[in-house]
């Protein structure tokens, strides 16, 4: 992931040096591990909640001292400037890491809430290009899912794949796609999420069952987006930081990963409902609901005690459990999906499939794909070595997007009226 600035063109050397400083400064900033809960606490509390014994979990955190990192990141912001798209990328990225550092230093207090909203948005934020909010979209998908009779407990539960068996299966698939040994798959009994992906490692939570649906989703979301963009980013000759997810690109990265599920058939309405419920829960917590109230909300929506606990835990990572505070990261999944979907449709309309491919060249925000275009053209930023399977079939992707472009012009009210008139 290291770039030698001496091997970079003279006019780009300053940015390569700043990029290496950026990577060194953020090396110790670990967002999710700092706010995570121990698996042993979760197991104990889930058992109690399953019996109706409700009490607020007792969670302790170790706030890091990141003052030196914040100072260096502020210096990088100033020195990078905004005169060139590379400088703008570095300034924006350093700023987002600095805000994340401030957030982590407040871990365990309500002080986490405000910077997390700056980084990940608020449920009531308006969706770009729409007069609707992220909260409106969440309510829509929950209502639609309920109308369609979605059952959150019925997702392919007839198949139980142990974590160790899935590990071996994914390892074979990833070796065939990326090359032997590029990505290791491991079982981690302390992992709170079902899975987590880095550039060279995917972790699976131990002691639970996975379904065929989980396998498909893990490949589409974790491997062929998160790991793939990290590997492509690490190969960049100037901006090696494109191999690491900065806070400012989280919405695009998660939105792209969920969009990948959509394009590869690895998502259904129940998955959209789960994503949407988390946004409603963040809004509840910000409005004063405590952990137990949010747990009961998830439970009332059909989730099991374990899933309800894990969902509530995601909302309260790093903040007090008594209400009025939240960790807003889960806000980005739906807003990011909608933004990425809109970007893909725009690029197709403009006949700019190259921009869609560039989105996989590293950990980029949608803004970066456009602003950094001159550096893609010059070769300072390389095109992606790997593309997800669904992106390799351009005609199939274009067909799906072209259909959605046309269908969106159809007025549903007129369709309903005409359908009723035909039935009379």
């Amino acid at each position: 992931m290291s770039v030698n600035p001496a091997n970079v063109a003279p006019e780009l050397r300053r940015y390569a040096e700043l990029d290496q400083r950026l990577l060194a400064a953020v090396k110790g900033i670990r967002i999710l591990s700092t706010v995570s809960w121990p698996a042993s606490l979760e197991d104990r509390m889930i058992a109690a909640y399953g019996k109706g014994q409700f009490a607020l979990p007792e969670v302790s955190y170790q706030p890091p001292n990141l003052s030196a990192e914040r100072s260096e990141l502020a210096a990088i912001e100033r020195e990078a400037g905004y005169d060139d798209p590379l400088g703008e990328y570095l300034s924006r990225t350093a700023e987002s890491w600095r805000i994340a550092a401030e957030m982590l230093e407040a871990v365990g207090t309500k002080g986490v809430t405000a910077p997390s909203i700056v980084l990940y948005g608020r449920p009531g934020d308006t969706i770009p290009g729409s007069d609707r909010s992220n909260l409106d979209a969440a309510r829509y998908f929950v209502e639609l899912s309920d109308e369609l009779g979605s059952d959150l407990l019925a997702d392919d539960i007839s198949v139980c794949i142990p974590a160790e068996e899935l590990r071996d299966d994914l390892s074979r698939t990833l070796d065939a796609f990326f090359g032997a040994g590029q990505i290791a798959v491991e079982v981690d009994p302390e992992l709170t999420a079902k899975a987590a992906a880095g550039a060279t490692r995917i972790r699976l939570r131990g002691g639970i069952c996975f379904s065929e649906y989980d396998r498909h989703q893990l490949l589409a979301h974790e491997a062929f987006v998160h790991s793939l963009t990290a590997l492509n980013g690490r190969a960049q000759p100037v901006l090696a930081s494109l191999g690491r997810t900065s806070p400012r690109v989280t919405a695009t990265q998660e939105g792209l990963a969920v969009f990948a599920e959509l394009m590869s058939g690895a998502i259904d309405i129940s998955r959209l409902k789960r994503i949407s419920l988390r946004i409603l829960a963040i809004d509840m917590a910000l409005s004063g609901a405590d952990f137990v109230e949010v747990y009961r909300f998830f439970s009332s929506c059909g989730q099991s005690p374990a899933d309800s606990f894990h969902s509530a835990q995601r909302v309260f990572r790093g903040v007090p459990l008594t209400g009025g505070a939240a960790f807003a990261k889960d806000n980005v999944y739906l807003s990011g999906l909608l933004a990425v979907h809109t970007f893909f449709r725009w690029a197709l309309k403009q006949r700019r499939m190259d921009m869609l491919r560039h989105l996989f060249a590293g950990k980029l925000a949608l803004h970066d794909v456009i602003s950094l275009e001159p550096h893609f053209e010059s070769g300072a930023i390389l095109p992606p070595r790997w593309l997800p399977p669904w992106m390799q079939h351009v005609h199939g992707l274009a067909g799906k997007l072209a259909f959605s472009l046309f269908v969106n012009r159809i007025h549903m009210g007129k369709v309903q009226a005409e359908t009723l008139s035909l039935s009379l």
Side-chain angles (χ1 to χ4, degrees), residues 339-397:
V340 167
H341 192 280
T342 300
F343 182 78
F344 267 73
R345 289 167 52 222
W346 173 83
L348 174 66
K349 191 173 183 179
Q350 301 297 318
R351 293 172 171 79
R352 293 299 307 271
M353 294 299 292
D354 59 321
M355 282 193 171
L356 300 183
R357 288 188 287 270
H358 290 164
L359 191 54
F360 295 90
K363 303 290 187 177
L364 293 156
L366 295 177
H367 170 84
D368 299 330
V369 177
I370 297 172
S371 68
L372 292 171
E373 185 178 5
H375 293 291
F376 276 106
E377 292 177 354
S378 71
I381 301 179
L382 298 177
R385 175 181 175 184
W386 290 286
L387 288 170
W390 56 272
M391 269 297 292
Q392 296 174 20
H393 306 289
V394 175
H395 294 297
L397 172 64

Side-chain angles (χ1 to χ4, degrees), residues 27-280:
K27 188 175 182 180
I29 302 177
R30 303 286 179 180
I31 296 176
L32 294 185
S33 60
T34 301
V35 301
S36 66
W37 297 9
S40 56
L41 167 68
E42 293 188 355
D43 293 341
R44 187 170 68 253
M45 295 303 298
I46 289 169
Y49 275 40
K51 298 174 184 176
Q53 300 169 357
F54 300 113
L56 293 180
E58 295 182 5
V59 187
S60 61
Y61 300 97
Q62 294 295 324
N65 180 356
L66 299 171
S67 56
E69 288 85 349
R70 285 189 288 104
S71 178
E72 171 68 347
L73 289 166
I76 293 169
E77 285 180 64
R78 291 192 302 270
E79 294 176 39
Y82 286 80
D83 294 337
D84 182 276
L86 291 176
E88 179 193 4
Y89 160 83
L90 288 166
S91 291
R92 289 176 180 268
T93 302
E95 179 189 30
S96 75
W97 279 113
R98 179 176 55 78
I99 295 170
E102 293 170 357
M103 176 180 72
L104 295 181
E105 287 181 317
V107 69
T109 75
K110 289 188 176 182
V112 166
T113 302
S116 83
I117 288 174
V118 172
L119 295 175
Y120 307 123
R122 181 187 291 272
D125 290 345
T126 301
I127 298 167
S130 170
D131 59 354
R132 302 294 182 89
S133 71
N134 204 26
L135 204 54
D136 293 328
R139 289 175 180 141
Y140 169 80
F141 285 115
V142 170
E143 291 171 4
L144 181 62
S145 177
D146 290 340
E147 288 173 7
L148 294 175
S150 170
D151 184 352
L152 292 179
L153 303 178
D155 281 349
D156 199 13
I157 58 174
S158 60
V159 177
C160 174
I161 305 174
E164 291 75 15
E165 183 179 328
L166 181 59
R167 174 197 60 199
D168 296 342
D169 177 45
L170 291 179
S171 294
R172 289 190 294 269
T173 302
L174 297 179
D175 283 351
F177 185 88
F178 291 104
Q182 282 277 12
I183 299 177
V185 185
E186 302 172 359
V187 176
D188 183 353
E190 288 295 315
L191 189 65
T192 54
K194 262 194 171 182
T200 59
R201 183 176 66 153
I202 292 177
R203 291 178 295 155
L204 307 175
R205 189 162 84 216
I208 65 170
C209 273
F210 293 84
S211 65
E212 283 294 335
Y213 171 81
D214 290 328
R215 176 188 180 278
H216 195 10
Q217 184 186 331
L218 284 170
L219 283 172
H221 186 115
E222 305 291 351
F224 295 145
V225 172
H226 291 325
S227 294
L228 179 146
T229 52
L231 288 172
N232 285 334
R234 285 186 166 204
Q236 291 297 335
V238 179
L239 299 178
S241 62
L242 288 174
R244 182 161 185 189
T245 304
S246 67
R248 63 175 286 267
V249 305
T250 302
T252 297
Q253 278 292 299
E254 297 299 352
L256 183 60
V258 179
F259 183 77
E261 296 177 45
L262 190 65
M263 290 295 103
S264 57
I267 196 170
D268 62 14
I269 194 65
S270 294
R271 165 81 164 145
L272 285 174
K273 180 176 180 178
R274 283 191 295 274
I275 292 171
S276 299
L277 287 175
R278 294 172 190 167
I279 295 167
L280 299 181

